[in-house]
Amino acid sequence: MGAQLRVYKRRIRSVTATKKITKAMEMIAASRIVKAQRQVAASTPYATELTRAVTAVATGSTTKHPLTTEADTPARAAVLLITSDRGLAGGYSSNAIKAAERLTDRLRGEGKEVVTYVIGRKGVAYYGFRERKIEDSWTGFTDSPTYADAKRAAAPLIEAVTKETVEGGVDELHIVFTEFVSMMTQNPVDNRMLPLSLGAAKEEDGKGEILPLFDFEPSAEDVLDALLPRYVESRIYNALLQAAASEHAARRRAMKSATDNAGELIKSLSRLANAARQAEITQEISEIVGGASALADATAGSDK
């Protein structure tokens, strides 16, 4: 019985230590969400206004450009998947990967070859374990991304979009990330970045304004060439910030659940330990009473 009590006490100490860790991680994630939300709020207006500028240029010109012109028969599509570098965030990365898999199946169903790019160790590990090809990958910054990280990821994607498909280029560029809605809600989404759909861009703008007419110097094509990298970089940066906020929110929720479960397990183990200690005390009392009774019987026999 004493050995069983020691086992319960050892498990209580272990779970208590784990609870302290999960509680600390919950508090860290909660503190980082505020900063991530501010960054999302600061980057969204720039991405929206840049999209409006691209839409205005595309609407006011007849120039064929990878940014706005769809291929007659698109053959290759690039998919950029954003996951996390670290775990302990519930289903955050797995939900994004599932969204990317659905998008990949849909694109292949349309007869397109899919080229995969991945941000985050979890996504890299997923494709590596299944021995599936990744065109390029980036890790080490998912929980606190910078614009330089977005530029680094955007460079090969922009190069692929500007190439012909026979040279290894792509006709479409899609991005899969987790959109931050609230502290309790984060939704994996897939958006087509290129070619830009003018109707979708106007709907995303949400202002319903009539775009002004522009004169382009030196030409509309040169303006679009200059806007293309800025557009892709800003969209990727905004998606990285949304994903980072979602990752912190998911980790905070997962760690809170782990802390609560640890508390319940400690209560359960404490009850079992108390029951074992009570049983041990009862057994000792029974042995003392039994020994005293036997001694009394032995003494009474000797007196006769």
Side-chain angles (χ1 to χ4, degrees):
M1 193 63 70
Q4 187 178 14
L5 181 59
R6 286 193 295 271
V7 169
Y8 287 139
K9 287 183 176 180
R10 186 166 60 248
R11 289 192 63 190
I12 289 172
R13 286 195 298 269
S14 176
V15 176
T16 301
T18 302
K19 182 181 177 181
K20 291 179 180 178
I21 295 172
T22 56
K23 183 63 177 179
M25 294 182 68
E26 176 191 347
M27 295 175 67
I28 292 172
S31 66
R32 289 179 176 177
I33 293 174
V34 178
K35 179 181 177 181
Q37 284 180 292
R38 290 173 181 169
Q39 289 179 317
V40 171
S43 69
T44 300
Y46 174 77
T48 301
E49 289 302 319
L50 188 57
T51 302
R52 291 186 71 241
V54 173
T55 304
V57 175
T59 304
S61 69
T62 58
T63 303
K64 288 189 176 182
H65 193 274
L67 188 58
T68 58
T69 306
E70 295 193 30
D72 295 331
T73 55
R76 301 184 84 222
V79 175
L80 174 62
L81 168 63
I82 299 177
T83 62
S84 67
D85 286 322
R86 298 185 295 127
L88 301 177
Y92 166 77
S93 292
S94 62
N95 290 336
I97 291 172
K98 289 176 183 177
E101 292 288 79
R102 290 193 295 268
L103 174 62
T104 300
D105 292 340
R106 176 162 58 84
L107 293 173
R108 286 175 178 164
E110 296 171 358
K112 301 170 186 174
E113 180 186 352
V114 178
V115 183
T116 304
Y117 297 80
V118 180
I119 294 176
R121 291 190 179 93
K122 291 298 180 180
V124 173
Y126 175 85
Y127 285 95
F129 179 76
R130 289 158 180 77
E131 298 182 350
R132 294 166 60 179
K133 182 181 178 182
I134 298 176
E135 193 69 17
D136 207 344
S137 62
W138 304 268
T139 59
F141 55 83
T142 59
D143 60 346
S144 184
T146 64
Y147 196 83
D149 298 322
K151 287 187 68 174
R152 188 153 51 93
L157 295 170
I158 296 170
E159 183 181 356
V161 169
T162 54
K163 284 183 180 179
E164 296 292 334
T165 53
V166 293
E167 300 174 352
V170 297
D171 299 310
E172 296 178 359
L173 174 57
H174 300 258
I175 184 169
V176 180
F177 65 99
T178 305
E179 181 184 30
F180 181 84
V181 180
S182 67
M183 293 286 285
M184 298 301 298
T185 306
Q186 301 88 41
N187 298 324
V189 296
D190 63 88
N191 292 334
R192 192 181 77 172
M193 285 196 292
L194 294 175
L196 178 65
S197 174
L198 299 183
K202 292 177 181 178
E203 182 180 345
E204 179 181 323
D205 174 37
K207 297 181 180 179
E209 297 177 357
I210 298 176
L211 296 175
L213 296 176
F214 291 94
D215 290 329
F216 308 108
E217 293 291 345
S219 67
E221 185 174 2
D222 290 333
V223 173
L224 287 171
D225 285 340
L227 287 175
L228 174 60
R230 303 291 179 270
Y231 170 75
V232 175
E233 289 166 5
S234 67
R235 291 295 296 269
I236 292 177
Y237 182 52
N238 184 259
L240 283 172
L241 294 177
Q242 295 255 11
S246 299
E247 178 184 347
H248 293 316
R251 182 168 290 112
R252 186 201 67 83
R253 192 166 61 249
M255 291 300 97
K256 184 179 186 309
S257 177
T259 302
D260 294 342
N261 290 339
E264 292 298 321
L265 183 57
I266 290 172
K267 289 180 182 179
S268 177
L269 290 172
S270 297
R271 283 193 293 268
L272 292 173
N274 291 337
R277 184 167 61 250
Q278 185 64 41
E280 184 177 352
I281 293 171
T282 302
Q283 182 177 356
E284 290 177 356
I285 292 173
S286 298
E287 291 174 353
I288 292 171
V289 172
S293 178
L295 182 60
D297 290 342
T299 302
S302 63
D303 291 341
K304 294 178 181 179

